Amino acid sequence: MLGGVIPKSPDGQGIINPATGTYQPTIAGQILANPNADYSLGFTNNLRYKQFNLSVTCDFTKGGQILSFTSGLYKSRGVLDVTAEDRESPRILEGVILDPATGKYIPNNIQISAQTYWGTLGGLQREFNVYDATVFRMRELSLGYDIPSGRYVKFVKGLRFSVFARNLFYVAP
């Protein structure tokens, strides 16, 4: 996924505009996220005990990245839980300012309003809204009972009653 990336200092910190206290204008057309997973695994197990059958289907995807437009929108409007604590206090963005006199980067010390802070970290296509796509999911769990052949109905063979649930849970970072 392509979008705007904030200019970085040689040590990888975002460069702050000293006039505004926000980041320098983004560099357009840069790679924000790579949605391709490193690998994916699937697991299906079927256990039988007498006439009972238990089946479980799980999968695991490692790596990849997602860009959350929802997270960006909610951050910029101040409705995500990370924006709730001490919402109205002025803040300082993490980053550095280039000192023109020495040519060295110094830590940012410019306070900006909370609204400007969260608006800067929000935005729809920003690197602050990229998350790891690693996930483990339990896709299906089913429990079945096999009725013995010919016991209740003479012409039916292999009758099974099952209950199942899908998309039971997932674990993601």
Side-chain angles (χ1 to χ4, degrees):
M1 175 152 280
L2 299 177
V5 175
I6 294 166
K8 304 279 192 295
S9 66
D11 63 351
Q13 297 185 64
I15 299 175
I16 303 292
N17 181 341
T20 63
T22 61
Y23 292 109
Q24 293 283 5
T26 60
I27 303 167
Q30 301 297 304
I31 295 174
L32 285 177
N34 178 2
N36 301 310
D38 297 336
Y39 60 88
S40 294
L41 300 172
F43 172 77
T44 301
N45 197 2
N46 196 351
L47 302 172
R48 295 181 61 93
Y49 179 72
K50 296 186 180 182
Q51 280 87 22
F52 292 97
N53 181 10
L54 177 68
S55 178
V56 179
T57 302
C58 302
D59 63 51
F60 176 72
T61 302
K62 171 71 173 128
Q65 297 169 317
I66 60 170
L67 175 62
S68 174
F69 291 105
T70 304
S71 174
L73 182 64
Y74 284 5
K75 268 189 222 172
S76 67
R77 293 188 177 178
V79 294
L80 260 188
D81 58 349
V82 298
T83 67
E85 187 177 321
D86 198 21
R87 184 175 300 210
E88 299 301 320
S89 296
R91 303 189 182 256
I92 298 174
L93 285 170
E94 289 184 27
V96 292
I97 300 170
L98 179 61
D99 183 5
T102 62
K104 294 185 179 182
Y105 291 98
I106 58 171
N108 180 26
N109 60 359
I110 302 170
Q111 283 190 347
I112 56 176
S113 70
Q115 184 177 4
T116 303
Y117 178 85
W118 291 114
T120 301
L121 294 184
L124 294 181
Q125 281 187 272
R126 285 289 178 97
E127 58 198 273
F128 304 114
N129 304 314
V130 175
Y131 301 96
D132 184 9
T134 299
V135 66
F136 173 80
R137 298 177 191 270
M138 180 180 276
R139 294 282 184 187
E140 184 173 331
L141 176 68
S142 68
L143 178 64
Y145 178 76
D146 294 329
I147 295 181
S149 298
R151 175 171 265 182
Y152 299 105
V153 181
K154 299 290 184 203
F155 60 88
V156 175
K157 288 187 174 184
L159 185 62
R160 175 185 291 165
F161 290 101
S162 295
V163 293
F164 63 90
R166 293 200 172 126
N167 298 321
L168 293 161
F169 71 90
Y170 71 96
V171 179

